[in-house]
Amino acid sequence: MAVKEKLINAKDLITESFSLIKKDKSLLIPPVLSFTTCIIAVLLLFFFIILPSMNLGSAIYIAILLSALILYFIPTFFNAALTWMVLEVKKGKDTTLAQGMNRAGKNVIDIFMFSVVSLAISIIASIIRGKGESRGRDVAGNVDKIAWIEPKSF
């Protein structure tokens, strides 16, 4: 695709996006809530999960993996709500944030599984690129060890 065609497609996409927002201003709420929730989650995860587990050896890997999964789930959940809301607006219906959240809530297991797969792909891609020295490679390399160490401790 040529640069000119890409610019035309981008312009059309922006125009369509703004026309949807004009039809229903509630479409602006999920991205803002997603961002705010992620910021709060990062702070809570850091102070209540990651910091306390730093002195527990291999538990830090589990804490980081759990934190990453939560931070993948939050925007995926809000994006699912937003996608449903946009579909309703495209159909000419009015929609609310509550309706979008309810719809995403009905698919929470699918959204969670999508987040798990997205995180796994991200870790694998990070390992392949070689940029995941402390993040992806260490976590992926020690997950199997942790899986065997933890049950043996009971």
Side-chain angles (χ1 to χ4, degrees), residues 23-49:
K23 289 179 186 176
D24 194 340
K25 302 272 190 253
S26 68
L27 295 176
L28 294 170
I29 299 171
V32 172
L33 280 178
S34 177
F35 177 76
T36 306
T37 305
C38 282
I39 294 297
I40 292 168
V42 164
L43 294 172
L44 291 174
L45 290 168
F46 182 75
F47 288 111
F48 294 107
I49 294 182

Side-chain angles (χ1 to χ4, degrees), residues 17 20-21 23-31 82 85-86 89 95:
S17 297
L20 287 171
I21 291 170
K23 289 179 186 176
D24 194 340
K25 302 272 190 253
S26 68
L27 295 176
L28 294 170
I29 299 171
L82 179 62
M85 291 171 68
V86 167
V89 171
T95 187

Side-chain angles (χ1 to χ4, degrees), residues 1 14 16 27 39 41 64 67 70 99 102 111-112 116 124 129-130 137 151:
M1 185 181 288
I14 291 169
E16 180 66 20
L27 295 176
I39 294 297
I64 291 171
S67 299
I70 290 169
Q99 291 171 330
N102 286 336
I111 293 168
F112 177 77
V116 169
I124 292 167
R129 279 190 304 241
R137 195 170 292 147

